[in-house]
Amino acid sequence: MTIRFILNDREVTRDRFSPSETLLDYLRLERRLTGSKEGCAEGDCGACTVLVGRLTRGRLVYETVNSCIRFTASLNATHVVTIEHLAAKDGALHPVQQAMVDMNGSQCGFCTPGIVMSLYALWMENEKPSRRAIEKGLQGNLCRCTGYEPIIKAAETASATRPDAAFDAIARERDSVMTQLAAMKSDETIVIGDATSRAIIPGSATALADVLAEYRDATIVAGSTDVGLWVTKQMRALNPMVFINHLEELQTITETEKSIIIGAGVTYTEAFPALAKAIPAFARLIDRIGGEQVRNMGTIGGNVANGSPVGDTPPALIALNATLTLQSQNGTRSIALEDYFLDYGKQDRRPGEFVLSLTVPKPALDAHYAVYKVSKRREEDISALCGAFCLQLTADGTVEKIRIAYGGMAGTPKRAPHVEAALAGKPWTSETVEAARPAFESDYQPMTDMRATAAYRMLAAKNLLSRLLLETGGSQQELIRFEREEA
Ligand SMILES: Cc1cc2nc3c(=O)[nH]c(=O)nc-3n(C[C@H](O)[C@H](O)[C@H](O)COP(=O)(O)OP(=O)(O)OC[C@H]3O[C@@H](n4cnc5c(N)ncnc54)[C@H](O)[C@@H]3O)c2cc1C
Ligand code: FES
Ligand code: FES
C-alpha cells in the first residue's frame, strides 16, 4: 500500500499522505524544492510546471504538467523532473537556462522556472522548433513582465545548442529510469489512507468497476484538470478519490474504416495525431483547449464525463454523432452521446459506472465538418460558446443532412433541432441560412455570465451558422480559410 516514483535522481516511496495532496505542495512544503512556484493554483499560469515521465507503449515520454493541480497519488511509476534537476552538478546551466540568461528572458523571475521547464520539454522533443511550435509550447505559461519576444529568442537559441547527451540529465539517465519505472508498475490495486481520507489506485479496469461498486460516492480522477480545482479553489474534501490516469486499458486509440474509438483515459495530446489525420477540424479545436500542460493531463473522457455546458469536445462530438460506452460490474452499455447530458449537472451515468470510451464516426469525405470556439482569449480560455456542424450536401447543393450542436447555449451541450429542420432539404444559400437564423431562438435560451451576455451568445451562435455558409460556399471561401490559417 505504497506508491513509488522517481523525483529527479531519487526513488521515493510514500504510504501516508492525503489523497488530495498536490504535487506542488509536496515539492515545496515537504521536499523544499521551491523552484516551482505557485501563481494561480488552477492550472492557468504555468509557474508550477514540472515534467512527468511515464512509460507508455514501450516508450519513456516526458510531458509538462501543472503540478498545482496534479495529485501526488497519481504519480505511481513516474519520473518527476523539477527545475532543480536541470543544471549540472558543477552548477553549469542547461542550454535552455543559459539561453534564457543570454536573451534576457527573465525579469522578476516568478514565471521563469515554469517557462524553462516548458522550453526544456520542447527542446527535448523538437530539435528545430518553428516559431509556431515555440508559441504552442508556451501557451500554458504566463509572463507578466518580460514579454514573450526574449523568451521565444531563448527557445530559438537553445535549439541551436545541443552539447553531448551526457550533459542532459534526462538523456543520461533514460535507460536506468526506464528499468526503474517498469519495476514500479503494478497491476495490484493500491489503497492509501483510511475511511476518512482514502486514495484508491485500481490495478485494472475490472478492479475500477469493483471499487466503484463498493464506493458509490467515489470521485474518479483522470487528468485532474477539473477535479484539481475542486480541491485547490473550492476546498472540497473528496473521499475516496479513485485515480485512473495510469490504466492502459483506458488509453487506447483504435481506428477503423468508419470511426475512431478513443479510450476515456486518452489525453488531448495523445488523441491529437489520430484526430489531425482523420478529423482535422476536431484537432484544431484541441489546439484551443487550455495550454500544453492541460492538454498533456486532461482527457476527452473527463471533458465529457464532467458534463460542463461549456466543455469544448461534447458539441464537437455530438455533431459527429459520437457514442459513449460506459462500464460497470454489470458489463458495458453504449448510448448516443447527446443522450448522456440530461440536465445541468446531471448525466446519464448510473452508480458504479465509469466512461470506458467514445466512438467517433469519421465524417464522410464530402461532408463539411466545422467547429468554432468563441472565447475572449485564443489560448487558455473556456468557451463563451462553441458551435459544431456536420453538413452533407447533395450534388446540386441541397442540404441533405446537417447535425448542429452547441456548448455554452444551454445548461447542457445541446443539438439545434429547429435550426436543423429549417435547413434540411433546402438549397445551401444565404437566403436559406437567413431564414433559419430565427430558429435558434426556439432551440436555445442562453444565459448571461462573466463570459458573455445572453444576447451576445445568441447573436454569435447565429453568426457561426453564417460563417459555415461562407466557408463552404466556393473558391472565395477557400481564400478566407487559407488567410485564417495563415493568421
Ligand atoms: C487551465 C485550464 C484550462 C482549461 N481549458 C479548457 C478548455 O479550453 N476547454 C475545455 O473544454 N475544458 C478546459 N478545461 C477543463 C478540463 O481541462 C477539461 O474538462 C478536461 O478534459 C478534463 O479532463 P480530466 O481528465 O482532467 O478530468 P478530471 O478533472 O480528472 O475529471 C473531470 C470529471 O470527469 C470525471 N471523470 C473523469 N474520467 C472519468 C471516467 N473515465 N468515467 C467517469 N467519470 C470520469 C471526474 O470524476 C470528474 O467529475 C481547462 C482546465 C484548466 C485547468
Ligand atoms: S500555479 Fe498557476 S498553473 Fe500551477
Ligand atoms: S519574468 Fe516576471 S512574470 Fe515573467
Side-chain angles (χ1 to χ4, degrees):
M1 295 299 124
T2 57
I3 62 159
R4 291 193 299 151
F5 57 95
I6 309 168
L7 172 58
N8 295 331
D9 55 0
R10 301 253 161 99
E11 197 172 313
V12 176
T13 303
R14 301 198 75 213
D15 57 359
R16 252 168 285 162
F17 59 97
S18 163
S20 59
E21 175 192 74
T22 63
L23 173 56
L24 183 63
D25 277 353
Y26 170 68
L27 293 175
R28 290 183 58 84
L29 305 178
E30 193 158 326
R31 305 306 295 240
R32 305 307 294 165
L33 292 171
T34 53
S36 310
K37 304 289 183 248
E38 183 174 71
C40 63
E42 60 179 54
D44 261 317
C45 74
C48 64
T49 303
V50 300
L51 297 190
V52 173
R54 64 190 166 109
L55 287 178
T56 168
R57 296 175 193 98
R59 284 182 65 220
L60 173 57
V61 175
Y62 287 89
E63 291 170 322
T64 51
V65 305
N66 292 314
S67 62
C68 65
I69 51 169
R70 177 84 189 239
F71 297 109
T72 321
S74 71
L75 290 170
N76 193 52
T78 64
H79 182 198
V80 177
V81 181
T82 69
I83 186 76
E84 287 82 0
H85 199 45
L86 256 64
K89 292 266 182 280
D90 66 2
L93 295 181
H94 188 277
V96 173
Q97 295 172 303
Q98 191 59 52
M100 282 285 279
V101 175
D102 295 343
M103 295 297 121
N104 303 308
S106 178
Q107 285 185 30
C108 80
F110 197 82
C111 70
T112 307
I115 286 192
V116 168
M117 293 312 281
S118 287
L119 294 185
Y120 179 38
L122 184 69
W123 183 88
M124 220 188 303
E125 282 296 314
N126 190 338
E127 284 212 355
K128 216 171 169 354
S130 63
R131 169 105 186 184
R132 203 166 172 162
I134 296 170
E135 286 178 3
K136 192 172 168 196
L138 289 169
Q139 271 177 350
N141 292 83
L142 300 181
C143 175
R144 290 155 50 115
C145 40
T146 303
Y148 289 88
E149 205 53 43
I151 297 171
I152 290 168
K153 284 210 179 91
E156 287 164 351
T157 307
S159 77
T161 321
R162 288 188 182 271
D164 190 81
F167 186 88
D168 181 62
I170 288 187
R172 201 173 52 233
E173 296 157 0
R174 196 167 265 274
D175 290 346
S176 69
V177 167
M178 283 182 79
T179 310
Q180 276 175 284
L181 294 186
M184 288 173 181
K185 278 200 164 198
S186 162
D187 48 19
E188 298 290 316
T189 295
I190 301 169
V191 182
I192 307 281
D194 55 26
T196 58
S197 173
R198 185 174 272 153
I200 305 175
I201 304 152
S204 64
T206 309
L208 170 61
D210 294 343
V211 168
L212 295 178
E214 186 176 348
Y215 299 97
R216 295 292 166 118
D217 294 334
T219 300
I220 297 175
V221 186
S224 69
T225 58
D226 284 315
V227 176
L229 280 70
W230 301 353
V231 170
T232 61
K233 293 285 137 168
Q234 297 171 5
M235 311 294 167
R236 276 164 66 177
L238 307 172
N239 186 38
M241 294 169 76
V242 180
F243 293 88
I244 64 166
N245 67 327
H246 60 292
L247 290 177
E248 287 175 4
E249 293 151 282
L250 303 189
Q251 290 167 357
T252 54
I253 306 177
T254 315
E255 197 170 339
T256 66
E257 196 194 332
K258 297 222 158 114
S259 53
I260 304 182
I261 303 158
I262 304 174
V266 172
T267 64
Y268 292 114
T269 301
E270 289 165 335
F272 185 86
L275 290 172
K277 203 161 90 243
I279 320 176
F282 199 143
R284 282 198 289 275
L285 172 74
I286 287 185
D287 254 359
R288 296 273 316 270
I289 292 181
E292 201 78 333
Q293 297 88 329
V294 167
R295 292 190 292 266
N296 290 339
M297 297 166 72
T299 60
I300 300 183
N303 198 228
V304 166
N306 195 35
S308 163
V310 288
D312 282 325
T313 62
L317 291 164
I318 291 172
L320 289 169
N321 201 9
T323 308
L324 188 69
T325 300
L326 298 123
Q327 183 175 333
S328 69
Q329 266 189 335
N330 302 327
T332 59
R333 73 180 170 107
S334 295
I335 53 169
L337 179 61
E338 63 183 293
D339 296 335
Y340 178 69
F341 303 102
L342 301 176
D343 204 344
Y344 179 73
K346 197 161 169 236
Q347 296 89 37
D348 180 13
R349 184 160 77 85
R350 299 175 190 158
E353 281 186 334
F354 62 90
V355 176
L356 177 66
S357 62
L358 282 143
T359 302
V360 188
K362 295 179 191 167
L365 284 179
D366 57 351
H368 300 282
Y369 175 67
V371 191
Y372 306 123
K373 169 170 176 167
V374 180
S375 58
K376 287 184 182 164
R377 290 177 298 172
R378 196 193 175 281
E379 275 103 32
E380 287 280 29
D381 207 357
I382 304 291
S383 290
L385 70 155
C386 179
F389 307 83
C390 194
L391 166 70
Q392 186 92 43
L393 298 174
T394 60
D396 68 355
T398 302
V399 178
E400 187 183 353
K401 277 190 274 183
I402 185 159
R403 284 178 70 92
I404 303 176
Y406 276 76
M409 293 293 288
T412 61
K414 188 173 172 298
R415 266 179 88 178
H418 291 89
V419 182
E420 289 177 13
L423 297 168
K426 310 264 168 50
W428 182 235
T429 59
S430 52
E431 289 74 25
T432 301
V433 166
E434 209 47 51
R437 284 171 66 107
F440 275 93
E441 276 151 50
S442 306
D443 286 326
Y444 300 116
Q445 288 84 46
M447 59 189 264
T448 294
D449 64 12
M450 77 277 201
R451 295 200 180 92
T453 62
Y456 175 87
R457 285 191 158 105
M458 182 55 79
L459 181 61
K462 292 176 181 174
N463 287 347
L464 293 185
L465 179 66
S466 303
R467 175 173 169 183
L468 178 73
L469 175 75
L470 288 172
E471 288 191 348
T472 51
S475 59
Q476 162 92 12
Q477 311 322 321
E478 289 306 312
L479 185 66
I480 294 174
R481 189 192 291 275
F482 173 72
E483 281 171 356
R484 185 168 296 118
E485 277 172 4
E486 284 300 287

